């Protein structure tokens, strides 16, 4: 930029017939250079912002697709995208709601299965306890019968 400025001043002096005209030219060139530098800086900032927005959109797209492959955290990430439109937000919220409902249903099925397993286990334990009690009762009756017969033999 400095070189461009020096060239502009030299050209101004070369083509100018007076010092004030050369100064006017230099001022105009300097103004143009400052404007161009500001414009270049604005364009660079705009490009940086575009790249950042493209990265955010790419992350959103990845999260969107993962959400619709039943990834609940991806749905939550996609919903944080700041440029999401209403229709997409509605679809993501519906998918998230469906995933949460499916998780609750699955958890409830697991819970019911566990309750049924525990009930069956308790019924089995109760059956075994009753069976043991019956065997003990039968054993006790046999022992009583044997004592009675033994006492009878001893008495006769």
């Amino acid at each position: 930029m400095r070189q461009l400025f020096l060239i502009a001043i030299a050209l101004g002096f070369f083509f100018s017939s007076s010092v004030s005209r050369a100064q006017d030219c230099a001022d105009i060139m300097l103004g143009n250079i400052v404007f161009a530098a500001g414009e270049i800086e604005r364009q660079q900032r705009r490009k940086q912002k575009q790249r950042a927005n493209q990265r955010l959109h790419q992350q959103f797209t990845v999260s969107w697709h993962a959400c619709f492959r039943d990834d609940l955290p991806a749905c939550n990430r996609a919903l944080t995208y700041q440029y999401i439109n209403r229709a997409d937000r509605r679809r993501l919220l519906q998918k998230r709601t469906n995933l949460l409902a499916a998780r609750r249903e699955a958890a409830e099925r697991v819970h019911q299965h566990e309750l049924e397993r525990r009930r069956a286990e308790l019924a089995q334990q109760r059956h075994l306890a009753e069976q043991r009690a019956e065997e003990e009762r039968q054993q006790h009756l046999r022992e009583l019968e044997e004592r009675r017969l033994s006492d009878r033999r001893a008495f006769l």
Side-chain angles (χ1 to χ4, degrees), residues 67-121:
C67 175
F68 284 91
R69 287 189 309 269
D70 299 338
D71 182 350
L72 183 60
C75 294
N76 294 334
R77 283 191 305 275
L79 284 166
T80 65
Y81 181 58
Q82 63 185 350
Y83 300 111
I84 190 170
N85 61 45
R86 284 185 182 185
D88 288 345
R89 178 174 296 282
R90 198 172 321 121
R91 286 182 65 197
L92 283 168
L93 285 171
Q94 184 61 49
K95 180 63 176 177
R96 183 179 179 276
T97 300
N98 293 343
L99 288 174
L100 287 171
R103 281 188 175 192
R104 278 192 299 272
E105 289 172 12
E108 182 61 29
R109 280 192 306 273
V110 167
H111 179 70
Q112 285 300 324
H113 177 73
E114 183 61 26
L115 283 176
E116 290 169 10
R117 187 194 64 75
R118 184 71 180 132
R119 284 183 190 129
E121 185 180 294

Side-chain angles (χ1 to χ4, degrees), residues 10-156:
L11 288 174
F13 279 120
F14 182 78
F15 290 110
S16 172
S17 61
S18 72
V19 172
S20 81
R21 236 172 130 184
Q23 184 62 39
D24 290 344
C25 260
D27 289 345
I28 291 170
M29 292 301 282
L30 180 62
N32 287 339
I33 291 170
V34 169
F35 175 78
E39 188 60 31
I40 289 170
E41 187 177 325
R42 281 188 291 281
Q43 286 176 358
Q44 287 174 341
R45 280 195 307 260
R46 195 172 23 253
K47 284 181 183 178
Q48 287 173 345
K49 187 171 182 176
Q50 279 179 329
R51 283 191 295 270
N53 286 341
Q54 285 172 340
R55 280 191 303 273
L56 285 174
H57 188 265
Q58 185 178 14
Q59 291 169 350
F60 167 74
T61 302
V62 168
S63 295
W64 171 277
H65 291 294
C67 175
F68 284 91
R69 287 189 309 269
D70 299 338
D71 182 350
L72 183 60
C75 294
N76 294 334
R77 283 191 305 275
L79 284 166
T80 65
Y81 181 58
Q82 63 185 350
Y83 300 111
I84 190 170
N85 61 45
R86 284 185 182 185
D88 288 345
R89 178 174 296 282
R90 198 172 321 121
R91 286 182 65 197
L92 283 168
L93 285 171
Q94 184 61 49
K95 180 63 176 177
R96 183 179 179 276
T97 300
N98 293 343
L99 288 174
L100 287 171
R103 281 188 175 192
R104 278 192 299 272
E105 289 172 12
E108 182 61 29
R109 280 192 306 273
V110 167
H111 179 70
Q112 285 300 324
H113 177 73
E114 183 61 26
L115 283 176
E116 290 169 10
R117 187 194 64 75
R118 184 71 180 132
R119 284 183 190 129
E121 185 180 294
L122 289 172
Q124 178 68 20
Q125 288 173 357
R126 195 175 318 115
H127 175 72
L128 289 174
E130 289 170 357
Q131 198 174 23
R132 267 185 257 122
E134 181 60 26
E135 288 172 1
E136 288 173 2
R137 189 179 75 75
Q138 290 295 327
Q139 180 64 30
H140 181 69
L141 287 175
R142 280 191 298 273
E143 289 171 359
L144 283 175
E145 184 62 27
E146 286 175 12
R147 259 193 245 134
R148 189 178 66 79
L149 286 174
S150 162
D151 286 348
R152 196 179 213 187
R153 284 185 204 136
F155 185 72
L156 289 177

